[in-house]
């Protein structure tokens, strides 16, 4: 009886999981389908999942009309730099905040939470003026700085959680075994923290890769623009859109994030606290 | 330990190089040899339109080695925020493409150049006064209106012909009552007579309202604007409301749609007609299935005839541009009648210039061009064109009120109260 109940529960769980996956995957699968449809199929009242006459015309048109490769390179440079710099700054800060709790670190955590509530439009004009004074308008360096600053609070918050998940006893044990402070950090803490650092870097990468508004207002010349900005060039007045090329370009824009996740995801989950406890 | 220090030093160096290497900045706009550089931010987005704009820029650059124009692609989606930030940071493009209803705040804010003394007589005389009034604020002219589009009915010709209803022309359009009757006639067997894509209901309602004598915004002699809802203002909203909730001849599901969303229903015979902007013909041509017969009909008319409100596309010059004269010369070149025709055809819209509008290429029956050009004479500035506070009224008051009215949640009295009473409170704050 209990076996049957357990099987039913598991079946229900799998069904719910499948439903959830389908729900999550639907927009992406529809995007792929749209990207390969000729214009006439886009206007069909009875759209099909598989295009009747699949075509690469949308991709050709997208590449012909907009500098997608250049934009992708700009996005990649901005996103990778933002991810690396953000983690480089946030990791030591997070360690201090997690291991040395004080009123100051509590206040800092509070500020981090509050800072997430600031709307973009509140920040953009002062930010624009600051960057202008630094001669960093229309510059990917300026954009990277903005992305780092924008991602840093949440990255810090994430990493504090990861550091706290690493048992302090392990560091104490290393110390007892004669390891110095730096050796403990490098040999004991850092490997255990690696999945968290990767996850945080991914968060900063995705935030920067998808970001639109800052890139729109800070980058002026076509050769500097990032992918999300270039994608809007397929959208016209009153929401009219060149749907085929837009879908093709959007599909290409989602690929790097997906591939990155597919490659790293197992390491994030598999590496968490692996080998922390001696068996 | 030493390896760690070396890695950190390498990373710092790489970062410094990266930041130095990818820094940009505005740069000087005049070369040592005197060559002037202008930036033209265009919002063209359709393939033919982008091509036409780029070709014209290339032609200008070839003919004017001393004044080189750089084409910069902008986006309709976010142009206001992007321009506002650029103005605040003194980084605006020299020549700015936008829509006239977006210019008021920039003009009053001192960001745009007053073009009165810069515009050549040819251009001033070629564009009708009604169009100039869309870019005139406080006596100054802050943009050149050059493209516009009326709202038309895109119809499934087979359904219309089979029903035997009178086909309207620009000279003899349907009245609003006739339109309501005909949509009811066309409804049945899983088909609606009309689908109103009213995701953004305010501009449609106000602009078509002029055809019934509606105005809603009334400017007094002191320049102050107040809202009054008369019988003429009620005609369009009441017709739409009754089609949706009384006759069921208009698809309720379309109320939340954008224009493009209704096209599959039109192609599939689910809707007999869809009111859309003139430029949507491009999407119909591109997406309609083989054999789909369609026609362009004038929007219904009332006591105001076929009048409609429009917000033309405009070209402006930034106040901070050091080369305003050259920028206006470029605009003059871009809007030379044959060039204006190229831009209009590229965008599937109508030119404002009378010479361009007379071009035979824009009077063919094919793809409904003739219907559009016939309507052009009666296009008027959108009623709320230069009203300060309009965006807030639109977003906070009018959009939800009209959406609730069209869906049947509130009646006409409640709609009137909200549009006028709440609206006047909003406008009052801008007119102190």
């Amino acid at each position: 009886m209990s076996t049957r109940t357990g099987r039913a529960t598991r079946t229900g769980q799998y069904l719910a999981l499948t439903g959830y996956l389908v729900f999550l995957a639907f927009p992406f699968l529809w995007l792929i389908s749209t990207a390969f449809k000729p214009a006439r199929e886009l206007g069909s009242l009875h759209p099909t999942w598989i295009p009747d006459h699949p075509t690469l015309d949308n991709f050709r048109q997208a590449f012909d009309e907009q500098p997608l490769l250049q934009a992708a390179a700009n996005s990649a440079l901005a996103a990778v730099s933002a991810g690396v710099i953000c983690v480089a700054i946030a990791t030591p800060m997070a360690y201090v905040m997690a291991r040395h709790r004080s009123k100051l670190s509590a206040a800092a955590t509070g500020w981090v939470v509050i800072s997430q509530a600031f709307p973009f439009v509140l920040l953009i004009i002062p930010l624009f003026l600051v960057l202008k004074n630094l001669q960093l308008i229309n510059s990917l360096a300026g954009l990277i700085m903005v992305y780092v600053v924008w991602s840093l609070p949440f990255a810090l918050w994430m990493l504090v959680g990861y550091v706290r998940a690493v048992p302090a006893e392990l560091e104490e044990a290393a110390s007892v075994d004669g390891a110095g402070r730096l050796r403990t950090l490098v040999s004991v803490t850092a490997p255990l923290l690696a999945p968290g650092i990767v996850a945080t870097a991914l968060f900063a990468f995705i935030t920067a890769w998808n970001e639109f508004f800052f890139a729109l207002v800070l980058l002026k010349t076509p050769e500097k623009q990032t992918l999300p900005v270039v994608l809007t060039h397929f959208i016209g007045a009153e929401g009219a859109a060149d749907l085929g090329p837009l879908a093709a370009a959007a599909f290409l824009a989602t690929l790097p994030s997906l591939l990155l996740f597919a490659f790293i995801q197992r390491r994030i989950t598999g590496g968490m606290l692996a080998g922390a406890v001696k068996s | 330990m030493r390896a760690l220090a070396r890695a950190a030093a390498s990373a710092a160096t790489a970062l410094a190089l990266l930041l130095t290497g990818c820094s940009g900045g505005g740069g000087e706009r005049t070369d040592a040899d005197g060559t002037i550089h202008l930036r033209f931010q265009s919002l063209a987005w359709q393939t033919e339109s982008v091509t036409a704009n780029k070709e014209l820029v290339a032609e200008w650059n070839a003919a004017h080695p001393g004044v080189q124009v750089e084409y910069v692609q902008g986006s309709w989606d976010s142009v206001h925020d992007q321009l506002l930030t650029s103005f605040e940071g003194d980084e605006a493009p020299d020549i700015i493409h936008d829509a006239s209803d977006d210019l008021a705040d920039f003009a009053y804010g001192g960001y745009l150049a007053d073009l009165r003394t810069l515009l050549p007589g040819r251009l001033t005389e070629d564009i009708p006064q009604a169009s100039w009034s869309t870019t005139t604020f406080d006596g100054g002219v802050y943009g050149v209106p050059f493209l516009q589009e009326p709202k038309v009915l895109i119809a499934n010709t087979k359904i219309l012909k089979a029903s035997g209803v009178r086909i309207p022309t620009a000279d003899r359009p349907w009245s609003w009552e006739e339109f309501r009757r005909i949509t009811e006639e066309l409804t049945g067997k899983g088909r609606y007579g009309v689908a109103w894509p009213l995701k953004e209901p305010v501009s449609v309602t106000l602009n078509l309202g002029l055809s019934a004598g509606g105005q809603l915004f009334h400017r007094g002699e002191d320049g102050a604007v107040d809202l009054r809802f008369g019988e003429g203002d009620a005609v369009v909203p009441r017709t739409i409301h009754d089609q949706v909730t009384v006759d069921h001849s208009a698809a309720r599901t379309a109320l939340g749609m954008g224009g493009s969303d209704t096209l599959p229903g039109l192609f599939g015979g689910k809707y007999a007609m869809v009111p859309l902007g003139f430029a949507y013909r491009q999407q119909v041509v591109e997406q309609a299935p083989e054999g789909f017969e369609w026609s362009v009909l004038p929007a219904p008319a009332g006591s105001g005839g076929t009048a409609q409100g429009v917000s033309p596309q405009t070209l402006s010059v930034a106040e901070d541009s050091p080369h305003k004269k050259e920028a206006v010369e470029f605009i003059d070149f871009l809007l030379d009648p044959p060039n204006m025709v190229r831009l209009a055809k590229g965008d599937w819209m109508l030119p404002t210039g009378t010479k361009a509008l007379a071009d035979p290429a824009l009077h063919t029956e094919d793809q409904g061009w003739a219907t559009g050009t016939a309507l052009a004479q009666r296009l008027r500035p959108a009623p709320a064109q230069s009203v300060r506070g309009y965006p807030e009224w639109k977003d906070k008051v009018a959009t939800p009120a009209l959406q609730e009215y069209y869906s049947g949640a509130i009646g006409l009295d409640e709609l009137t109260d909200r549009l006028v009473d709440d609206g006047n409170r909003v406008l009052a704050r801008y007119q102190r």
Side-chain angles (χ1 to χ4, degrees):
Chain A
M1 183 66 187
S2 64
T3 312
R4 199 176 295 165
T5 310
R7 201 175 295 153
T9 307
R10 196 169 303 151
T11 307
Q13 285 172 338
Y14 278 122
L15 279 175
L17 185 64
T18 307
Y20 185 59
L21 285 176
V22 168
F23 174 74
L24 286 183
F26 177 81
F28 183 64
L29 294 176
W30 195 251
L31 181 74
I32 298 173
S33 170
T34 306
F36 289 97
K37 278 180 182 169
R40 302 221 179 275
E41 286 186 45
L42 293 175
S44 170
L45 186 60
H46 305 291
T48 52
W49 273 103
I50 310 289
D52 292 335
H53 303 93
T55 176
L56 291 174
D57 283 353
N58 293 325
F59 291 91
R60 270 187 222 108
Q61 199 181 331
F63 277 104
D64 284 350
E65 287 177 15
Q66 300 298 338
L68 289 180
L69 285 179
Q70 175 72 58
N74 293 338
S75 281
L77 177 60
V80 170
S81 306
V84 171
I85 298 170
C86 188
V87 159
I89 298 172
T91 306
M93 286 171 73
Y95 185 82
V96 173
M97 283 173 72
R99 287 286 186 259
H100 303 282
R101 295 191 194 194
S102 65
K103 283 183 180 169
L104 186 65
S105 71
T109 308
W111 175 244
V112 164
V113 176
I114 291 168
S115 70
Q116 294 300 297
F118 292 160
F120 276 29
V121 282
L122 198 72
L123 302 174
I124 190 67
I125 289 177
L127 196 62
F128 191 94
L129 294 174
V130 169
L131 288 175
K132 184 169 181 286
N133 288 335
L134 294 171
Q135 295 194 319
L136 287 173
I137 295 293
N138 196 30
S139 129
L140 285 172
L143 189 68
I144 292 164
M145 278 175 61
V146 172
Y147 286 167
V148 170
V149 172
W150 188 252
S151 302
L152 202 55
F154 194 76
L156 194 58
W157 203 22
M158 274 178 83
L159 272 171
V160 167
Y162 280 110
V163 174
R164 284 187 184 149
V166 176
E169 291 78 6
L170 286 174
E171 293 175 6
E172 288 163 14
S175 174
V176 169
D177 287 346
R181 190 80 178 144
L182 191 62
R183 177 73 188 270
T184 305
L185 284 175
V186 170
S187 304
V188 178
T189 314
L192 297 175
L193 207 51
I197 291 174
V198 173
T200 309
L202 259 182
F203 156 77
F205 174 88
I206 301 286
T207 304
W209 181 264
N210 292 332
E211 200 283 325
F212 166 70
F213 191 60
F214 288 133
L216 174 80
V217 297
L218 295 177
L219 303 174
K220 303 289 162 197
T221 50
E223 60 272 16
K224 295 274 172 60
Q225 288 177 336
T226 56
L227 261 180
V229 176
V230 170
L231 285 182
T232 64
H233 297 164
F234 295 105
I235 299 172
E238 293 181 24
D242 208 352
L243 206 53
L246 174 63
F251 168 57
L252 294 175
T254 54
L255 280 184
S257 308
L258 278 180
L259 293 174
L260 206 61
F261 260 113
F263 180 69
I264 290 177
Q265 179 252 5
R266 189 179 294 174
R267 287 163 195 266
I268 294 175
T269 49
M272 182 63 82
L273 292 185
V277 179
K278 286 181 184 172
S279 53
Chain B
M1 179 63 190
R2 205 174 291 162
L4 188 70
R6 221 171 20 233
S10 307
T13 311
L15 178 62
L17 286 173
L18 177 74
L19 293 178
T20 318
C22 54
S23 66
E28 186 53 55
R29 291 188 191 175
T30 307
D31 290 345
D33 66 358
T35 304
I36 290 169
H37 292 272
L38 300 176
R39 277 191 296 144
F40 164 40
Q41 179 169 296
S42 166
L43 301 180
W45 68 282
Q46 299 185 64
T47 311
E48 300 126 304
S49 175
V50 173
T51 306
N53 274 277
K54 285 184 175 173
E55 281 175 0
L56 287 170
V57 168
E59 286 170 25
W60 166 274
N61 285 341
H64 301 81
V67 182
Q68 293 293 289
V69 174
E70 182 191 5
Y71 179 93
V72 179
Q73 185 70 60
S75 155
W76 282 107
D77 210 24
S78 44
V79 65
H80 186 88
D81 293 337
Q82 188 249 343
L83 281 177
L84 184 63
T85 321
S86 301
F87 285 134
E88 288 286 347
D90 301 330
E91 286 282 343
D94 300 272
I95 302 136
I96 295 160
H97 182 187
D98 203 347
S100 63
D101 58 357
D102 197 35
L103 295 186
D105 285 344
F106 295 144
Y108 285 116
Y111 299 122
L112 298 177
D114 183 355
L115 304 177
R116 276 176 300 178
T117 56
L118 297 167
L119 287 169
R122 177 202 74 74
L123 200 55
T124 314
E125 287 153 23
D126 189 40
I127 294 174
Q129 190 49 45
S131 297
W132 282 118
S133 66
T134 62
T135 56
T136 304
F137 307 100
D138 216 10
V141 174
Y142 294 94
V144 184
F146 73 111
L147 292 178
Q148 57 190 352
E149 60 169 340
K151 191 71 86 178
V152 291
L153 297 169
I154 308 272
N156 182 322
T157 310
K158 277 185 185 168
I159 294 175
L160 225 60
K161 280 186 178 165
S163 71
V165 300
R166 181 177 78 80
I167 307 294
T169 63
D171 292 333
R172 277 194 66 210
W174 288 326
S175 68
W176 283 100
E177 300 81 36
E178 196 180 2
F179 175 59
R180 187 178 159 192
R181 206 172 53 244
I182 283 168
T183 53
E184 212 175 344
E185 215 170 303
L186 296 174
T187 300
K189 294 179 188 169
R191 185 177 72 213
Y192 293 96
V194 67
W196 286 96
L198 289 176
K199 194 173 167 187
E200 303 282 345
V202 183
S203 66
V204 178
T205 309
L206 286 183
N207 289 340
L208 288 179
L210 291 188
S211 68
Q215 193 177 345
L216 201 59
F217 290 87
H218 298 266
R219 193 177 287 277
E221 283 179 8
D222 60 350
V225 175
D226 72 318
L227 286 152
R228 294 200 296 274
F229 195 88
E231 187 48 38
D233 296 299
V235 172
V236 173
R238 192 192 290 134
T239 304
I240 299 172
H241 170 272
D242 290 352
Q243 284 174 322
V244 175
T245 60
V246 179
D247 309 337
H248 306 291
S249 60
R252 181 184 287 272
T253 48
L255 292 178
M257 291 183 183
S260 304
D261 305 329
T262 57
L263 290 180
L266 179 73
F267 300 150
K270 191 176 170 189
Y271 315 132
M273 292 179 285
V274 183
L276 291 170
F278 197 52
Y280 271 93
R281 294 169 305 135
Q282 188 260 354
Q283 293 205 14
V284 177
V285 168
E286 202 172 81
Q287 295 179 14
E290 295 287 346
F292 179 76
E293 291 178 37
W294 58 284
S295 39
V296 177
L297 311 176
S303 60
T306 52
Q308 273 188 45
V310 287
S311 298
Q313 291 188 21
T314 56
L315 292 170
S316 302
V317 176
E319 175 62 23
D320 284 343
S321 170
H323 305 295
K324 295 188 187 68
K325 180 172 146 290
E326 289 78 5
V328 172
E329 282 168 3
F330 173 71
I331 291 176
D332 184 35
F333 163 81
L334 215 54
L335 304 186
D336 188 42
N339 294 344
M340 209 193 264
V341 172
R342 285 164 72 181
L343 293 173
K345 292 192 80 176
D347 256 326
W348 293 72
M349 295 177 89
L350 297 173
T352 54
T354 47
K355 287 201 178 82
L357 199 58
D359 191 295
L362 303 181
H363 288 264
T364 59
E365 292 296 333
D366 190 33
Q367 296 164 344
W369 280 104
T371 306
T373 45
L375 295 171
Q377 304 297 325
R378 302 279 295 153
L379 299 179
R380 299 282 173 269
Q385 187 70 48
S386 57
V387 176
R388 302 199 78 182
Y390 166 72
E392 185 180 338
W393 173 80
K394 184 184 80 163
D395 293 341
K396 292 185 181 167
V397 177
T399 299
L402 283 169
Q403 281 172 340
E404 286 177 47
Y405 176 63
Y406 289 145
S407 67
I410 60 171
L412 190 63
D413 290 342
E414 168 80 12
L415 173 74
T416 309
D417 288 347
R418 284 169 60 175
L419 290 182
V420 175
D421 297 347
D422 296 354
N424 277 327
R425 272 196 288 276
V426 170
L427 295 192
R429 280 197 284 109
Y430 289 83
Q431 299 184 62
R432 280 174 194 149

